[in-house]
Amino acid sequence: MSEIPYKIYLTENELPTHWHNIRAVMPEQPDPMLHPGTMKPCVKEDLLPLFCEGVVEQEMNSTDEFIEIPREIRDFYKMYRPSPLVRAYCLEKELGTPAKLYYKFEGNNTSGSHKLNSAAAQTYYAKKQGVTHLTTETGAGQWGTALAMSCVFFGVDLTVYMVKISSEQKPYRKICMETYGAKVVPSPSDTTDSGRKILAENPGTGGSLGCAISEAIETAVKTPNCRYVLGSVLNHVLLHQSVIGQETKAACDMYGIAPDVIIGCAGGGSNLGGLISPFMADKLRGKNNIEFIAVEPASCPSLTRGRYAYDFGDTARTTPLMRMYTMGSGFIPSPNHAGGLRYHGMSPILSKLYHDGHIKAKSYVQSEVFEEAVRFARAEGTLPAPESAHAIKAAVDEALRCKETGEARTILFGLSGTGYFDLAAYDSFNRKTMTDHVPTDAELEKGFETLVKV
Amino acid sequence: MSEIPYKIYLTENELPTHWHNIRAVMPEQPDPMLHPGTMKPCVKEDLLPLFCEGVVEQEMNSTDEFIEIPREIRDFYKMYRPSPLVRAYCLEKELGTPAKLYYKFEGNNTSGSHKLNSAAAQTYYAKKQGVTHLTTETGAGQWGTALAMSCVFFGVDLTVYMVKISSEQKPYRKICMETYGAKVVPSPSDTTDSGRKILAENPGTGGSLGCAISEAIETAVKTPNCRYVLGSVLNHVLLHQSVIGQETKAACDMYGIAPDVIIGCAGGGSNLGGLISPFMADKLRGKNNIEFIAVEPASCPSLTRGRYAYDFGDTARTTPLMRMYTMGSGFIPSPNHAGGLRYHGMSPILSKLYHDGHIKAKSYVQSEVFEEAVRFARAEGTLPAPESAHAIKAAVDEALRCKETGEARTILFGLSGTGYFDLAAYDSFNRKTMTDHVPTDAELEKGFETLVKV
């Protein structure tokens, strides 16, 4: 085996030809989506007014383990993929750990994160179907930027409802989306019924992903030839993100790297779900014993403190119901800087895997996360996104534990994005004005009260 | 020959082991630096109080064509190099040109540009010599960020004098440098004699690179165990940046790519100088007939409208004198958004090559540059730095000319950086509030009056 380089790049010919569908391997399926009117499992026809055909088929497909990536999407991927699997030699040295640290780095594209993987796919299916306009929401702005990039590329109009507090914290994100031709509307806005309702109830609100989703859905349904796209949570998004895991596994196999633990941050779950997909399949087949860890902010702890229950995906309670770990669709998370993790629910696939004991979960407050973000930036060069820094924190904790015990474990984590648009958050950390919020049990109860009785 | 991929990545084993020193191949040498007191050519001893030993040796070395890159610097390079040579398939399609477009992309690191190549080298030599503190200036912020990254890595303190208008236009740049542990001082400041003098004369000034250099030099000279480092212009900086050209040439040779024209933006000249170094050597040896094009902003046109004369590198007239194309050290360029190109002079090496007819030069106003920046971003995904977009504009012009004539020329340009910190400039372009300034002949004359009579 040759020495492991700092960065393992697959060639473009080694780009995965298929996405990996973990549901085909799961011993038990996630519970089905329910139609909120009938409380019966959703069928394709329920979803087609909202979502594009191509993704509805993928959403419903729990049997095919491998689904071919269309050539047009693979060509799009070639603009920024394969992404590197990096050996964190410098961080290992800094920590003085015997552990071997690797990270799959998804930040080297203008959207700044892994989100482009699903944006490209969903926009392609929209274009193929003749849809001329898409709507979506964005929190941290990475998903909105990714979708703006793919929409201008494939020639589809886009309206992005951006969580108001994020649009204020990150004006550059908004400009970036506009530069790529998207229309950006701070949410809640007065352009939709659901926005006006939320504004009437909470005039000063900074918004939330749940609110922005409601507005985007309403606009999609009311606009001709328009559909809604979502950047996380749903099965088809995790499917598209499996390109991360497929590449990571190919790189590991090429160099004989056998991870003992794989770590990812989890907001809606697309980054972690995509990263672990093929590794989890092997685990479910008894071929490895990898420890999988989901990391979430203590301010929005859906896995670690939420309930496994049917819930709406949005605040206005208009989406199909999904069984997932959730804080309740009425839960409004505190303005943690990791906007991409500020969501009340969690991917039904990951929720099921967690519920069945195949995944562990951890949470951290943001100041301890930023401390590791800065250490990582200084050691490895790359300034991480606050979301991704949650995974760094857990990986460092494990590496430091190995330092205590002398174990040379192989720790792999997802560095899902860069923090170039998050410097206001870094500034608040540098100046020690950052505050940590952990919801009280009473606050959680208030959220749980908004859960649906099934 | 296999099909050319979207991105050609060398392996880490193929990283250049040596920098390329173009002076060893030039038929005539650039005129020597002069000591401003004696007006005699500088000797090593003149420079050692200001610069680190390692770089002074390189500055003076005009005979060795290849200079070994120390292992520590190569290891640093491995964190973000080799950088990709990208075939701009999508831009070609967008333009409908028969030309083949390639760009060497240096933006995939947190500093956002090629500047890290010389920052790593200069910081290494400082550390090796036992220097504990460095000072520098930064305009656009890319050089300052790069140096902050290398200084925290090698363990050297850093003070950055940041052009005041840039620090106001780009607060995130400042935070980024601070996150990497640097002290950032907006320039002109009241912390130095030269800063106070400039402030007294121009209380409302937004500063310039020339002013910031004066402040950084003054601090370096007055602080124990401190040296000054510069991010462009000088011979040793171009030497370090030759790693760009070395990689580009290796990738071209690997795939049988023979550029007809190589284009780069030129402010102080390090990006263009580094990119063309080995190609220019071959041209000077009669082995190719490549057309080299330097692109500068019409607001700061040192090659296209400046004079080839001896001049100071800074506004306070404290540096050694260099013979270069210059607007005069007293020229204060208008606040063009490409801060990295807002410098009165030009690398003496490039100036000499230009003077001897080996390089051509072009200039553009910023609004036409941003128009191509946006087209490039939308076609190729990557949001370019305003500086780099000057090269894009020239490359597109050439590609469109090929479309007229039907020529299938191979056009290669340097995409020296990303524009994530330049979104205020994009916003001004998007909103059509961007103005173009081209200095009048009278304005130029005022600058030329500050030239030194040798």
Side-chain angles (χ1 to χ4, degrees):
Chain A
M1 192 60 53
S2 57
E3 201 197 337
I4 291 171
Y6 280 62
K7 300 180 298 315
I8 303 173
Y9 275 107
L10 303 179
T11 66
E12 277 165 29
N13 292 332
E14 291 162 335
L15 247 183
T17 54
H18 293 71
W19 289 304
H20 182 259
N21 184 5
I22 187 66
R23 279 171 296 158
V25 192
M26 288 169 70
E28 283 181 37
Q29 287 300 304
D31 289 300
M33 265 187 191
L34 300 183
H35 188 290
T38 63
M39 288 307 217
K40 298 245 159 68
C42 283
V43 291
K44 267 187 195 173
E45 289 63 34
D46 296 329
L47 300 179
L48 287 174
L50 192 54
F51 294 104
C52 299
E53 277 168 33
V55 305
V56 169
E57 268 170 40
Q58 294 174 345
E59 186 65 25
M60 297 296 190
N61 185 337
S62 61
T63 50
D64 298 322
E65 183 174 357
F66 294 98
I67 294 176
E68 191 169 6
I69 307 175
R71 187 187 53 77
E72 292 85 348
I73 300 174
R74 294 189 71 209
D75 281 349
F76 189 95
Y77 284 170
K78 285 179 186 170
M79 286 201 290
Y80 68 102
R81 305 200 70 80
S83 72
L85 178 66
V86 186
R87 174 74 183 267
Y89 283 118
C90 300
L91 182 60
E92 288 173 19
K93 195 176 156 196
E94 159 73 22
L95 297 173
T97 178
K100 298 179 196 79
L101 285 161
Y102 293 88
Y103 56 92
K104 178 70 169 171
F105 179 40
E106 291 289 316
N108 268 351
N109 69 73
T110 291
S111 81
S113 83
H114 68 293
K115 293 288 186 185
L116 201 49
N117 302 328
S118 187
Q122 296 196 52
T123 310
Y124 164 78
Y125 288 116
K127 183 73 181 179
K128 194 180 164 200
Q129 187 185 340
V131 164
T132 56
H133 190 170
L134 291 173
T135 67
T136 198
E137 75 293 330
T138 200
Q142 292 159 333
W143 168 246
T145 310
L147 203 60
M149 291 170 69
S150 60
C151 280
V152 82
F153 187 89
F154 285 110
V156 175
D157 289 341
L158 173 66
T159 303
V160 180
Y161 291 90
M162 184 172 191
V163 177
K164 192 186 275 172
I165 187 155
S166 286
S167 75
E168 287 163 7
Q169 282 171 352
K170 303 183 183 182
Y172 282 15
R173 274 283 177 205
K174 183 167 178 282
I175 301 168
C176 192
M177 289 183 259
E178 288 169 347
T179 301
Y180 280 90
K183 182 178 165 194
V184 182
V185 183
S187 166
S189 76
D190 61 4
T191 66
T192 65
D193 289 342
S194 41
R196 283 186 291 267
K197 183 160 179 283
I198 294 162
L199 280 175
E201 287 163 9
N202 293 288
T205 180
S208 72
L209 271 181
C211 308
I213 292 174
S214 303
E215 292 206 271
I217 288 181
E218 185 183 327
T219 302
V221 173
K222 288 182 175 169
T223 308
N225 213 15
C226 181
R227 292 291 184 284
Y228 165 72
V229 289
L230 183 69
S232 191
V233 182
L234 299 178
N235 300 338
H236 65 270
V237 182
L238 268 72
L239 177 75
H240 303 151
Q241 295 297 356
S242 71
V243 69
I244 305 171
Q246 298 276 88
E247 282 184 15
T248 304
K249 187 149 191 318
C252 284
D253 291 348
M254 197 176 291
Y255 283 88
I257 300 161
D260 295 300
V261 50
I262 300 184
I263 299 169
C265 63
S270 76
N271 153 62
L272 178 66
L275 174 64
I276 68 176
S277 200
F279 295 98
M280 177 61 79
D282 278 358
K283 182 171 188 179
L284 294 174
R285 289 182 167 122
K287 291 192 195 167
N288 69 41
N289 195 25
I290 296 173
E291 189 184 353
F292 299 101
I293 304 176
V295 192
E296 52 187 19
S299 60
C300 195
S302 50
L303 288 175
T304 49
R305 296 178 70 200
R307 296 225 177 121
Y308 189 46
Y310 267 104
D311 194 10
F312 291 99
D314 67 329
T315 310
R317 304 163 72 89
T318 57
T319 68
L321 294 164
M322 293 172 286
R323 189 159 181 220
M324 57 182 178
Y325 278 85
T326 175
M327 322 291 298
S329 62
F331 178 79
I332 301 225
S334 72
N336 180 297
H337 284 289
L341 306 181
R342 208 156 59 209
Y343 181 65
H344 66 274
M346 179 60 66
S347 143
I349 291 177
L350 287 189
S351 291
K352 176 67 176 164
L353 288 167
Y354 177 68
H355 194 65
D356 291 350
H358 303 298
I359 297 178
K360 297 175 185 170
K362 280 190 163 186
S363 71
Y364 294 103
V365 296
Q366 63 178 350
S367 59
E368 58 187 348
V369 166
F370 272 86
E371 199 165 321
E372 290 311 327
V374 171
R375 167 145 66 176
F376 179 87
R378 292 177 174 198
E380 288 285 319
T382 299
L383 187 85
E387 292 82 1
S388 320
H390 286 72
I392 296 172
K393 169 65 180 161
V396 167
D397 271 5
E398 176 62 15
L400 292 176
R401 201 191 57 77
C402 288
K403 187 178 178 178
E404 295 288 321
T405 63
E407 288 169 276
R409 293 190 97 196
T410 297
I411 303 166
L412 192 155
F413 63 97
L415 190 72
S416 51
T418 52
Y420 304 149
F421 292 101
D422 300 284
L423 282 157
Y426 277 93
D427 198 39
S428 117
F429 175 75
N430 293 340
R431 294 179 191 289
K432 303 192 196 316
T433 59
M434 180 173 277
T435 55
D436 294 322
H437 178 73
V438 181
T440 62
D441 288 341
E443 284 169 323
L444 292 191
E445 277 307 322
K446 222 178 132 193
F448 295 147
E449 280 166 20
T450 64
L451 286 172
V452 182
K453 312 288 175 279
V454 178
Chain B
M1 194 58 55
S2 56
E3 200 196 337
I4 291 171
Y6 279 63
K7 301 179 297 315
I8 303 172
Y9 275 106
L10 304 178
T11 66
E12 277 164 30
N13 291 332
E14 292 162 334
L15 248 183
T17 54
H18 292 71
W19 289 304
H20 181 261
N21 183 5
I22 188 64
R23 279 170 295 158
V25 192
M26 287 169 69
E28 284 180 36
Q29 288 299 304
D31 289 299
M33 264 186 191
L34 300 183
H35 189 290
T38 63
M39 289 306 219
K40 295 243 158 68
C42 283
V43 291
K44 266 188 195 173
E45 289 63 34
D46 295 329
L47 300 179
L48 287 174
L50 192 55
F51 294 103
C52 299
E53 278 167 33
V55 305
V56 169
E57 269 169 39
Q58 294 174 344
E59 186 64 26
M60 297 296 190
N61 184 337
S62 59
T63 50
D64 297 322
E65 183 174 357
F66 293 97
I67 294 176
E68 191 169 6
I69 306 175
R71 188 186 54 75
E72 292 85 348
I73 300 175
R74 293 190 70 209
D75 281 348
F76 189 95
Y77 283 171
K78 285 179 186 170
M79 287 201 290
Y80 69 101
R81 307 200 67 83
S83 72
L85 179 65
V86 185
R87 174 73 183 268
Y89 283 118
C90 301
L91 182 60
E92 289 173 19
K93 196 177 153 194
E94 159 74 22
L95 297 174
T97 178
K100 298 181 196 74
L101 285 162
Y102 292 88
Y103 56 92
K104 178 68 167 171
F105 180 40
E106 291 289 315
N108 269 351
N109 70 73
T110 290
S111 80
S113 83
H114 67 294
K115 293 288 186 184
L116 201 49
N117 302 327
S118 186
Q122 296 196 53
T123 310
Y124 164 78
Y125 289 115
K127 184 72 181 178
K128 195 179 164 198
Q129 186 185 342
V131 164
T132 56
H133 189 172
L134 290 173
T135 68
T136 197
E137 76 294 329
T138 199
Q142 293 160 333
W143 169 246
T145 310
L147 203 62
M149 291 171 68
S150 60
C151 280
V152 83
F153 187 89
F154 286 109
V156 176
D157 290 340
L158 173 66
T159 302
V160 180
Y161 291 90
M162 184 173 191
V163 177
K164 191 185 275 172
I165 187 156
S166 285
S167 76
E168 287 163 5
Q169 282 170 352
K170 303 183 184 183
Y172 282 16
R173 274 285 177 203
K174 183 165 177 286
I175 300 168
C176 193
M177 289 183 260
E178 287 168 349
T179 301
Y180 281 89
K183 182 179 165 194
V184 182
V185 183
S187 165
S189 76
D190 61 4
T191 65
T192 64
D193 290 342
S194 40
R196 284 186 290 268
K197 182 158 179 285
I198 294 162
L199 280 175
E201 288 164 7
N202 293 288
T205 180
S208 71
L209 271 180
C211 307
I213 292 174
S214 301
E215 293 205 272
I217 287 181
E218 184 183 327
T219 302
V221 172
K222 289 181 176 170
T223 307
N225 214 14
C226 183
R227 293 292 184 283
Y228 166 72
V229 289
L230 183 70
S232 192
V233 182
L234 298 178
N235 300 338
H236 64 270
V237 182
L238 268 71
L239 177 75
H240 303 151
Q241 295 297 355
S242 71
V243 69
I244 306 171
Q246 298 277 87
E247 283 184 15
T248 304
K249 187 148 191 315
C252 284
D253 291 348
M254 197 176 290
Y255 283 88
I257 300 162
D260 295 300
V261 50
I262 300 183
I263 298 168
C265 64
S270 74
N271 153 61
L272 178 67
L275 175 63
I276 68 177
S277 199
F279 296 98
M280 178 61 80
D282 278 358
K283 181 171 188 178
L284 295 175
R285 289 180 166 123
K287 290 193 195 167
N288 70 40
N289 194 25
I290 296 173
E291 188 182 353
F292 298 101
I293 303 176
V295 191
E296 53 187 18
S299 60
C300 196
S302 49
L303 288 176
T304 49
R305 295 177 70 198
R307 296 221 178 124
Y308 190 46
Y310 267 102
D311 195 11
F312 290 99
D314 67 330
T315 310
R317 304 163 72 91
T318 58
T319 68
L321 294 164
M322 293 172 285
R323 188 159 180 219
M324 58 183 177
Y325 278 85
T326 176
M327 324 289 299
S329 63
F331 178 78
I332 300 224
S334 72
N336 181 297
H337 284 290
L341 307 181
R342 210 155 58 210
Y343 182 66
H344 66 275
M346 179 60 65
S347 142
I349 291 177
L350 287 189
S351 291
K352 176 67 176 164
L353 288 167
Y354 177 67
H355 194 66
D356 292 349
H358 302 299
I359 295 179
K360 296 175 186 172
K362 279 190 164 186
S363 72
Y364 295 103
V365 296
Q366 64 178 350
S367 59
E368 59 187 347
V369 166
F370 272 86
E371 199 165 320
E372 290 311 327
V374 171
R375 167 145 66 177
F376 180 86
R378 292 179 174 198
E380 289 286 319
T382 300
L383 188 83
E387 292 82 0
S388 319
H390 286 72
I392 296 174
K393 169 63 180 163
V396 167
D397 271 6
E398 176 62 15
L400 291 176
R401 200 190 59 75
C402 288
K403 188 178 178 177
E404 295 286 319
T405 63
E407 287 170 276
R409 293 189 97 195
T410 297
I411 303 166
L412 192 156
F413 63 97
L415 190 71
S416 51
T418 52
Y420 305 149
F421 292 101
D422 300 284
L423 281 157
Y426 277 94
D427 197 39
S428 116
F429 175 75
N430 295 340
R431 295 180 192 286
K432 304 191 194 316
T433 58
M434 179 173 277
T435 54
D436 293 322
H437 178 73
V438 180
T440 61
D441 288 341
E443 283 170 327
L444 292 191
E445 276 308 321
K446 222 178 131 194
F448 296 147
E449 280 165 20
T450 65
L451 286 172
V452 182
K453 314 285 176 282
V454 179

